[in-house]
Amino acid sequence: MSLRQFEYALAVAAEGSVTAAAELLQVAQPSMSQQIRNLERDLGVTLFARTPAGLVPTAVGRAFLKEAEVAVNAARRARATARAGADDLVGELVVAAQLGFGTRQLPGALSVLRRRFPRLEVTVFEESSSAELDRLCRRGALGLALMAACERSPADAHRLGEEEFVVVLGAGHRQLAADRVELRELEGEPWVRFDRDSALDGVLLEVSRNNGLTPATVSRVSQTATAVRWAAHGLGVTLVPASAVPRGYEHLARPVFPAVSQPVIAVVRSDAGPAATALLELLRQETWDNSASFRWSGAGAGELDDEVAAVNAAEQLVLGRDRSFH
């Protein structure tokens, strides 16, 4: 038996015929048919039932194909890891983040990743709907996702820390005098809110129920940066993850009481390759408990220099672990 025979059998199961599978893998149909027959002879079982509708895996075939898929995926990861060790990792890594999550942490981690794997194509997007993000994870469409909750097994989910939420106020707002804003003091305030199916709007609704608030909606937006800027101009207050506050607006942000936070979970695909594994390790090195590190007085050039230095230090750490990914 060989991995190539396993790949052929998986293709036949997916396509329902040897001809279609041969076209998919770009091999000669007679050769694939012979390899499937040889595989069944070596195993001593019938993997596929020949029906008018095409080839259908038997009960034994389905059990075999499940293990064959594990073996083929492991072999692909091994090949990718070997190529990564030669700085030759190519392909695409798809990363998604729940809206507002990782706004400060992702750029630095991805910068190091791209330096480590210059030929890797990284696609990153924010998803406002937690349900859609979870669906994409279950489909295996994402290499790595940042989210507050998931239905994946613990082996695929890695808790990075907590994302604290803050309220952003307009310049001159009376609550700016406080180090922490009591939520009940915001009753009657107009709110800049997020789209109705957004996970962030869900957070505000839960906070409102728990604290006896009735948020009056003055506008709805799709991006955290827009919400912060509109709040800063006095249109209304808004509630966002601390890391999502753009630089230059930190002085208008305050933590709230009772505190509002959500866990940050990195969900990796079960067959994740070295790029997703490396990104996960880089994200582990980032600061996620923003309540301890966020500077409400604002970020100046010195802090930006510190951030660049931290990115460079993280890169050196990853490069020092170069051989740990293969």
Side-chain angles (χ1 to χ4, degrees), residues 216-238:
T217 305
V218 68
S219 65
R220 289 187 181 272
V221 298
S222 300
Q223 298 298 321
T224 53
T226 302
V228 170
R229 291 187 175 96
W230 286 22
H233 282 84
L235 190 60
V237 300
T238 194

Side-chain angles (χ1 to χ4, degrees), residues 16-40:
S17 78
V18 173
T19 300
E23 292 178 356
L24 177 67
L25 298 182
Q26 297 183 336
V27 297
Q29 186 269 338
S31 175
M32 178 170 285
S33 296
Q34 183 62 46
Q35 290 296 329
I36 295 297
R37 286 194 295 269
N38 291 344
L39 179 60
E40 289 181 319

Side-chain angles (χ1 to χ4, degrees), residues 112-176:
V112 176
L113 184 72
R114 289 286 292 117
R115 295 182 200 179
R116 175 65 180 84
F117 300 130
R119 298 181 62 193
L120 179 68
E121 180 180 344
V122 181
T123 299
V124 185
F125 67 93
E126 285 188 310
E127 174 56 54
S128 61
S129 169
S130 56
E132 176 63 13
L133 195 55
D134 191 68
R135 186 184 70 83
L136 291 172
C137 283
R138 291 198 305 271
R139 286 181 52 198
L142 305 174
L144 184 145
L146 294 179
M147 54 205 305
C150 68
E151 298 179 2
R152 301 290 292 273
S153 66
D156 298 327
H158 308 266
R159 183 166 179 147
L160 299 176
E162 292 281 329
E163 181 71 70
E164 182 179 13
F165 281 68
V166 298
V167 63
V168 181
L169 310 166
H173 195 287
R174 67 185 189 284
Q175 292 294 335
L176 287 175

Side-chain angles (χ1 to χ4, degrees), residues 70-83:
V70 172
V72 169
N73 286 337
R76 288 172 179 168
R77 289 197 301 272
R79 286 195 294 266
T81 301
R83 292 167 61 192

Side-chain angles (χ1 to χ4, degrees), residues 58-112:
T58 62
V60 173
R62 288 194 297 273
F64 167 79
L65 290 168
K66 182 177 180 180
E67 298 301 327
E69 185 174 16
V70 172
V72 169
N73 286 337
R76 288 172 179 168
R77 289 197 301 272
R79 286 195 294 266
T81 301
R83 292 167 61 192
D87 289 332
D88 193 32
L89 183 65
V90 296
E92 182 183 25
L93 173 64
V94 181
V95 179
Q98 184 173 311
L99 183 63
F101 276 26
T103 306
R104 288 177 179 267
Q105 296 88 350
L106 261 176
L110 288 170
S111 176
V112 176

